[in-house]
Amino acid sequence: MRPTAKLALLGILCAVLVTACGSNEPQTRGGPPTLRLLTEAQYRNIIRDTFGSQVVVASRFDPIVRIEGLLAVGAGRATVTPSGVERYIALARSVAEQVVAPGNRELLIPCAPAAPQAHDPQCAELFLRSAGRYLMRRALTDEELASYQRIAAAAAAANSDFHAGLSYALQAMLASPDFLFVAENVVDGPDGTPRLDGYSRATRLSLFLWNSGPDEALLAAAERGELDDTRGIRRQAERMMESTRLEAGVRAFFTDMLALDDFQTLEKDTNIYPAFSLAVANDAREQVLRTLTDLLLVRDGDYRDIFTTRNTFMTGSLGLVYRVPAASPSAGWVPFEFAEGDPRAGIQTQLSFVALHSHPGKSSPTLRGKAIRELLLCQRVPDPPASVNFDLFNDPNAPGKTARDRLIRHSTDPSCSGCHKLMDPIGLALENFDGAGQQRLYENGELIDTSGEINGMAFTDSAGLGDALRDDPAAPACLVRRVYTYAASRPIQRSERQLLNHFEDEFAGEGYRLRELIREVATSDALYAVSQPRLRTAQLGPEEVSP
Amino acid sequence: MFVRALFMMLAVLLPLAESSAQIVDAGPAHLHLGPVRFYADLTAGEQTATVVSNGRGRAEFSLDRASLTLSWNVSVDRLTSRTLSVSVNGPQRPGTNAGVQIDLAPRGLAPTLRGSAVLTEAQLDYLLAGRMYVNVRSARYPDGELRGQLQRVPLTAEQMAAIPLPSPPAAKEIGAPTGAGKNGAAGKSQATKTLGYVIANWDNAIYQTRFMDECPEGPAIGNDELWWRGLARTDKDRLTDKGLVQPVDRRFVSVFRGPQGEDVCWNPTLVKDPPLRTVKGTVAYGFDLDSRSDGKATPKSCAHENFVSARGERGVDNQMYRLLGCHYGWRRNGVLDTFGNEERRNSGRGVILMEITGVTDERNSPNVQVGFYRALDPYQIDSVGRILPWASYRIDINKDKPRYGAVARGRIENGVLKTEPLDLKLPFYSNSAYAELDLKEMRLELDLTLGKDNKVRGLIGGYYDFDKWWEYMLKLEFLIATGDWSCPSLYTAARELADGHPDPETGECTSISSAFRMDALPAFVIHERAGSAAGAVR
Amino acid sequence: MSVLIKKPFTRRDLLRGSIGGSAIAVSLPFLDCFLSESGEALASGASLPVRFGTWFWSMGHTPGHAVGERTDRIEFLEECKALIPYVEHINYFGHFNSPLDGRPNHVHHTGWVTTRTATAPVLPGEIPAPTLDVMVSDAISSNTRFRSIDMSCTGNPRDSFTARDTHTRNAGEVSPRALYARLFGNGFTDPTKETRAPDPDLMLQQSVLSGIREQRQRFERRIGAADRARLDEYFTSIRQLETQLALQQKEVPVTAACRMPKSPDETPVGLEINVAQGNHEAMARLLVMALACNQTRVFNMAFNNALSSLRRPGTAYTHHTLTHEEAVDQKFGYQPEAFWFNCRVMEALASFIGTFQSVMEGNGTLLDNTLIFAHAETSYAKVHAVDNIPVMTIGRAGGRIKTGKHIAGHGDPVSRVGLTAMQVMGLPIETWGTGSLQTAKTITEILV
């Protein structure tokens, strides 16, 4: 090829490369570095990744407050209460003892001591450094190692047992703030701007994509400085996204976004809903996660289809509640598709929505409407005023048979309608699902009217509601916001508004594919940008605190 | 006026669609028949323990149907010593002692006692079941010197004839819509639909009236009593430890009352029991199986009496009811079917599926098929022990064919399914026993309107193969005391009353017309083998 | 002081100064004596620690049917009739209000926050200051195994009303069995057993904890000031545990009533009223034994959650929805179903008091040596009123307060009650609260 043509080609190539690298991402200053408490799932995952699944983590974890709709952000505010510390210490001890127990130690400790009843500093160092690297998500400093060695030596001497010594050192490691908290390290970049160090980037990426600590390859990349630029990050992100472990990360994300941990305290009255058992509750939680991962990861589908998809999965116990055939009560998970035209389309009709956002003995249009607004559209509904007079609802001459009748005041009374018109039309469309999520046509002998309107789009049933939600631009915008917030694990800064718009455009341009969005966010500059850590004392900021 | 209204109300209180064997009401009270009368002959020999006395007594009772007031006239004579008390005791089993239910001398003792008391429902039950006796205690015999079981004074033929027959229904009473409709998947009309059900409860369909007038002589006499009556005086004390040994534990002795100690269930013709008290009433649930109402023999049936149904239909053939209807164990509060249903539910065995295909309209479909299958999967039970509707059950398939898979033709009219006769075998399980329920010319009438408890209710009947039936009855031998029946009398009567499928050589009928009440819950009948994905919903 | 009470000991023993331990201060004034680490023995002869706890219920009272308005004595009406047998142990505080200074009334939240923290929250879910029990436990729980024992009868650990701030909320124990394991499992020294030789494990555990503490400076260098505050509680607790381990190596002073109880059966947890009641009773029994065995001095019991989701099986309505949606019955003048629940709540409180009374201590009972601060989050749930929230103290606090009194607040801030309670417990606090809830006025009428 002639030289000028080559140059031209190179020029074109460069241009293509530059645009392909998404450099139209708005610049951000980033947010402050976070200090996050490990969530229960992250704790378990890191232990499992480091020591394998034969080590059992049996403990209760303190609940975290949800901020900006995510526990991931709340983790950045969480602290450990005295009873929490007690539990962590006990748990650390339990895990440490399991790791050094015969049977496990051969697999988990990479060396044998020179003499089994005495402390062996070399073998101890080997173990402590390698375990510590995964647990702390960075290399141990010499000072830290020395501290742990001291503990191990004293304990080994007291017990005349090398492994007992290791156990105390490991316990100290597992109860240390370096393990329990994800602290982000800010260093000076080449141009003097503050930047996250390699380990912090690795951890941010790894918690986002896999909900666990960085694996060996990622830690090595961090140590080699590869994560300091976008290319290196992209390489690792691609690798991690190819892995089956991405599913765990996506599940953790949706569990947080859809507040599925509320299932832990969900109660249904067994007299009113005899079919709703603990098995059903567990299956319902799993069902929505399977539906989403199937649609968004396996099929790489359009995110907006979550409101209209008829493809889901069933088990025997779910079949009872949905009143659909299941292959057999014990067959496990089986793919299932609702027929064309069936109103049970979209995750908003699944038990994980309608049963979770209901009362123990009856449905609740308001709770469901609020849940859709807040969880799927990221629109906050104000709290009710304290002075509501509920006498308006109790007209003994006209007791409402259906929820729509009973809630008519919500839409006619001016002090109520402002907020309730945000919630009720959505929730009333789902009234064909009772408090346990079972389909019904009648309530108290009267046919249920599920028609309504949202954003000017009219619908007659829950499938129609799904169509209307699908077209609501707030839905993909909400996902973008949540994904980015989750990855950054801190409230969105004002300066990041443009960034969100950029992500939204990219998301739309890529056909609303979740993988693309994840890739965009994981490889963005913004995710790793930090501003100076705040040194003044904190107050509760303008972000809301969800009770 | 009130009484009349009460009677009218009670007379129509037994619709076809009834709940399980435990019916709350007991049918018409027949108040116009006058009081129900009982008597007891009091002798020393009736006491459980040995008593030496020439004392005698007679007690006569009259029970007012409307008020449940029991009036008595008791005379006692020639006691060995001073009378301590005279009472009606119960509930007892033959040769056992029971507590006092009614003090017959509330105002003091006298050679002749008159009085009255209002019975509770429970006492009425014991009385009708033949479990009450008069006990006279004396100073020498403080447990009792004289005793006599209350026997019913049989209704006269005139009284039996005065029991009114239900009249045929006016227009379309059957299957009137109850309004709620079938809650479930919104049924958009498609070509044909399939409705699946799992059978929950299964009971012999026993028509009962409040004062057991269909059994004018009283309840059937059970094995326990026959055994007791046959014992020598000396044996009575010894075998029952003066009445302390429980009836259930006596079973091992009481059925071995053949001449050489044989088990009289396995050898029912070895002893001659008094003839079974069969149903003499004229109303029964069931179907007209032989398409005649005169009861005459035909090439396919033996001569027998017909019944009128509770809806006034004539020609009902239900000889099984005739046989079982006066047995306390099969009537309301009786244990045999109730326990069977409960035990089946908990065991997960004997789950029978019904599948109706070809349904164009759930209220009216001219041409449907009804398949009966055995399920592989146990009932899905909720936390309180109720069977859950809408569960999925796989059919037991052997080499691509269901092991039990008979299919009947039928139609749905006004929400009620009716089938054409079909010879049906069902994998029946009840009371810890498997039985192959062999119903020839089976008919089903099932009201498809879903009740508030998610159940559909129906009547299923046909000619029950005699041998198969008796085989099952033998498996119930362990319930012979609690169910209060006796093998020789039942077997003998059954052989006489059997009315279907005469043996070509002997002419003896080999099947018994019968009817069963059944309720079922909506279910999904899975035809695929385990492991394959369930298809899309209809 | 290290007193293992195996035989009755006399004032003389105390005054002599020690029974196998350090000296006992008997000649110092009341408050100082209490504040010292050793403080169980007083010259007055009371030798037992005073315990403090809170008992929370929601949905308040039914107006006009709970407590009479007369102030010469406490008149418990129909709804509170279960409390009548205990009236001499109770002080009732009526018509104390929660002025909000224009801050919103976050329903079922603001009322208990003002009562416990003397500050009205601005944001929903906010807890702007430590609750009073946390302040008390900071002062008196330094030498017991647990800072406090927190329990929730609803099955949800989040239903707790004790916190240092919004993000540092003590989670409640929900299962009697789990509570038992925590209190009397590993780490509990059975006082009826002979004392053992020092356990090397305890010392090693201490070294583990101090190793963690050593990292504090290193760790804090990397984080901002705001986050440092979050770690405070963590490191303080580590220090606490160290101290506790040190104490475990000496004898733990217990009362004569201390016995190791039997492990309770596994029970379901949840919001059905009988389930909540059952767990409440089981946990109360464990609690009083833990107090008798001096495992803690501070406790918090939450009977129902702020939005009382208590319900009766087979009904669609919860306690909370009934308070709003049930019609007031014309004949009775109240909401009958909601009233039913309120009665059950008061019965539970009565049973709680009875459990404390059943443990003998010194010349009286555990109840005599305890101060229970019981209150709700609203007065009339139907309208979310936060004025006149029912507040009671129960128990004689070791003889430091009078009881049986009905104190009329005349609209004073409810923080007066909490302030008085804290002062009774010996905290050197003169003012408490912010804005119109700030107060320095002790309720002297109940002081001895």
Side-chain angles (χ1 to χ4, degrees), chain A residues 274 320 323-329 439, chain B residues 377 382 389-392 394 524 526:
Chain A
L320 260 179
R323 297 180 190 163
V324 297
S328 99
Q439 232 189 348
Chain B
D377 297 306
D382 72 9
W390 306 110
S392 296
R394 292 169 295 163
F524 292 104
I526 308 294

Side-chain angles (χ1 to χ4, degrees), chain B residues 91-97 131 147 224-225 247 250 481-482 484:
Chain B
Q92 55 76 251
R93 307 262 359 154
T96 65
N97 302 326
R131 303 249 181 121
R147 172 168 164 162
D224 225 25
E225 184 164 349
R250 299 195 304 204
T482 33
D484 229 355

Side-chain angles (χ1 to χ4, degrees), chain A residues 270-271 274-275 316-317 319-321 323-331 334-339 341-344 439-442 461, chain B residues 179-180 182-186 188 377-378 380 382-384 386 388-394 524 526 530-538:
Chain A
T270 47
N271 288 327
S317 20
L320 260 179
V321 180
R323 297 180 190 163
V324 297
S328 99
S330 45
V334 171
F336 186 87
E337 185 177 343
F338 285 103
D342 194 310
R344 290 172 292 183
Q439 232 189 348
R440 58 176 179 182
L441 297 173
Y442 294 87
D461 64 7
Chain B
K182 185 171 176 175
N183 272 341
K188 303 215 158 79
D377 297 306
Q380 297 274 293
D382 72 9
S383 57
V384 199
R386 295 172 295 213
L388 286 167
W390 306 110
S392 296
Y393 299 89
R394 292 169 295 163
F524 292 104
I526 308 294
S532 67
V537 80
R538 60 209 190 229

Side-chain angles (χ1 to χ4, degrees), chain B residues 129-349:
Chain B
R131 303 249 181 121
M132 301 281 238
Y133 65 94
V134 175
N135 196 36
V136 179
R137 292 167 57 240
S138 68
R140 183 184 289 183
Y141 293 106
D143 285 338
E145 185 171 330
L146 304 182
R147 172 168 164 162
Q149 199 158 327
L150 269 71
Q151 314 273 354
R152 183 169 184 157
V153 173
L155 289 175
T156 62
E158 288 80 12
Q159 281 175 308
M160 292 303 291
I163 296 176
L165 289 174
S167 36
K172 296 233 190 256
E173 260 179 34
I174 314 155
T178 54
K182 185 171 176 175
N183 272 341
K188 303 215 158 79
S189 56
Q190 303 178 5
T192 63
K193 217 155 46 154
T194 298
L195 304 175
Y197 298 93
V198 65
I199 295 181
N201 291 305
W202 184 283
D203 304 287
N204 280 281
I206 309 280
Y207 177 83
Q208 311 170 52
T209 63
R210 184 152 160 74
F211 294 97
M212 214 168 170
D213 296 317
E214 60 275 6
C215 305
E217 302 159 305
I221 303 172
N223 182 76
D224 225 25
E225 184 164 349
L226 293 167
W227 166 75
W228 174 254
R229 285 200 196 156
L231 285 178
R233 176 70 260 176
T234 44
D235 289 329
K236 280 185 178 177
D237 260 356
R238 179 178 59 85
L239 285 170
T240 66
D241 195 11
K242 298 202 178 65
L244 293 176
V245 172
Q246 290 306 302
V248 154
D249 298 322
R250 299 195 304 204
R251 171 172 66 92
F252 291 105
V253 183
S254 61
V255 288
F256 290 93
R257 54 187 175 92
Q260 313 286 340
E262 299 94 332
D263 180 333
V264 299
C265 276
W266 286 93
N267 305 277
T269 50
L270 274 186
V271 295
K272 196 154 162 40
D273 281 349
L276 179 68
R277 287 179 182 165
T278 57
V279 169
K280 301 289 194 295
T282 41
V283 184
Y285 299 115
F287 297 92
D288 183 2
L289 297 176
D290 60 5
S291 310
R292 322 171 57 102
S293 46
D294 59 8
K296 289 204 168 68
T298 72
K300 299 208 309 187
S301 64
C302 302
H304 63 284
E305 300 251 1
N306 274 217
F307 289 103
V308 175
S309 85
R311 296 190 301 222
E313 297 147 331
R314 314 191 91 77
V316 170
D317 306 299
N318 194 346
Q319 296 293 80
M320 188 66 78
Y321 167 58
R322 207 179 290 284
L323 286 170
L324 302 182
C326 295
H327 286 91
Y328 207 70
W330 274 286
R331 296 174 63 92
R332 84 181 168 116
N333 299 335
V335 71
L336 291 163
D337 286 333
T338 318
F339 177 71
N341 287 324
E342 201 180 295
E343 195 258 327
R344 180 186 325 114
R345 183 166 67 238
N346 295 329
S347 73
R349 299 185 180 126

Side-chain angles (χ1 to χ4, degrees), chain B residues 34-171:
Chain B
V36 187
R37 303 212 326 271
F38 299 85
Y39 70 93
D41 286 318
L42 315 180
T43 65
E46 279 292 299
Q47 284 293 343
T48 308
T50 305
V51 166
V52 178
S53 162
N54 289 324
R56 278 284 183 275
R58 168 96 180 167
E60 284 173 4
F61 298 86
S62 172
L63 175 66
D64 176 63
R65 291 174 184 249
S67 63
L68 287 190
T69 306
L70 185 73
S71 314
W72 58 83
N73 184 350
V74 184
S75 55
V76 175
D77 188 21
R78 287 188 277 154
L79 286 180
T80 59
S81 46
R82 178 174 58 88
T83 315
L84 292 182
S85 70
V86 182
S87 60
V88 171
N89 291 23
Q92 55 76 251
R93 307 262 359 154
T96 65
N97 302 326
V100 172
Q101 289 288 338
I102 307 168
D103 178 4
L104 295 179
R107 285 187 299 241
L109 292 159
T112 308
L113 297 168
R114 278 197 172 75
S116 65
V118 176
L119 295 184
T120 64
E121 285 295 333
Q123 288 167 337
L124 174 66
D125 253 354
Y126 300 148
L127 188 59
L128 293 170
R131 303 249 181 121
M132 301 281 238
Y133 65 94
V134 175
N135 196 36
V136 179
R137 292 167 57 240
S138 68
R140 183 184 289 183
Y141 293 106
D143 285 338
E145 185 171 330
L146 304 182
R147 172 168 164 162
Q149 199 158 327
L150 269 71
Q151 314 273 354
R152 183 169 184 157
V153 173
L155 289 175
T156 62
E158 288 80 12
Q159 281 175 308
M160 292 303 291
I163 296 176
L165 289 174
S167 36

Side-chain angles (χ1 to χ4, degrees), chain B residues 479-499:
Chain B
L479 289 173
I480 203 164
T482 33
D484 229 355
W485 53 286
S486 159
C487 294
S489 51
L490 181 59
Y491 181 84
T492 309
R495 277 259 88 106
E496 280 167 22
L497 293 178
D499 60 332

Side-chain angles (χ1 to χ4, degrees), chain A residues 33-37 60 62-67 71 74-83 85-87 89 93 138 141 143-144 147-148 150-151 154-155 158-159 168-169 171-172 175-178 180-181 183-185 261 265 267-272 359-362 380 383-391 394 406 533-538 540-541 543-547, chain C residues 105-107 109 123-127 145-148 150 154-158 164-174 182 200-202 204-205 207-209 211-212 214-216 218-219 221-235 237-238 241 244 269-272 309 311-318 321 323-328 335 382-385:
Chain A
T34 62
L35 176 70
R36 296 182 254 173
L37 183 66
R60 186 160 65 75
D62 275 345
I64 295 179
V65 171
R66 204 169 268 282
I67 298 184
L71 297 175
R77 294 295 172 80
T79 180
V80 188
T81 61
S83 57
V85 168
E86 224 182 280
R87 254 177 274 120
I89 299 283
R93 182 165 196 172
R138 58 170 173 76
T141 65
E143 220 186 317
E144 285 169 334
S147 169
Y148 291 123
R150 270 198 299 277
I151 297 175
N159 288 286
Y168 282 93
Q171 183 187 359
S176 81
D178 293 278
L180 295 174
F181 288 91
E184 295 191 314
N185 221 10
D261 51 304
T265 47
E267 259 189 51
K268 293 292 170 195
D269 192 300
T270 47
N271 288 327
I272 300 176
H359 299 295
K362 58 183 179 128
R380 184 139 211 292
D383 287 326
S387 54
V388 178
N389 180 5
F390 285 85
D391 282 339
N394 294 328
R406 291 194 296 274
R534 272 185 251 144
L535 293 174
R536 65 184 194 285
T537 53
L540 272 173
E543 59 275 3
E544 64 260 2
V545 170
S546 325
Chain C
N105 178 1
H106 296 294
V107 300
H109 181 74
L123 298 167
E126 184 187 348
I127 301 169
R145 189 168 155 224
F146 299 104
R147 288 250 215 105
S148 67
D150 312 309
T154 62
N156 188 344
R158 285 184 202 248
R164 195 172 290 283
D165 58 49
T166 310
H167 296 281
T168 317
R169 278 179 90 147
N170 295 316
E173 207 62 67
V174 300
R182 185 149 170 251
D201 176 65
L202 288 180
L204 289 172
Q205 287 291 323
S207 76
V208 164
L209 295 173
I212 295 171
E214 278 164 28
Q215 299 167 30
R216 180 175 192 165
R218 239 187 296 127
F219 191 73
R221 253 182 265 134
R222 299 159 51 199
I223 61 179
D227 292 328
R228 258 179 238 168
R230 288 165 59 199
L231 268 319
D232 257 345
E233 177 102 343
Y234 173 79
F235 284 113
S237 302
I238 297 277
L241 285 171
Q244 197 173 293
V269 297
L271 292 159
E272 285 190 11
S309 313
R311 54 194 186 83
R312 289 157 96 155
T315 61
Y317 288 89
T318 62
T321 46
T323 59
H324 290 308
E325 296 186 22
E326 192 186 7
V328 173
Q335 299 164 300
K382 193 169 195 289
V383 299
H384 301 123

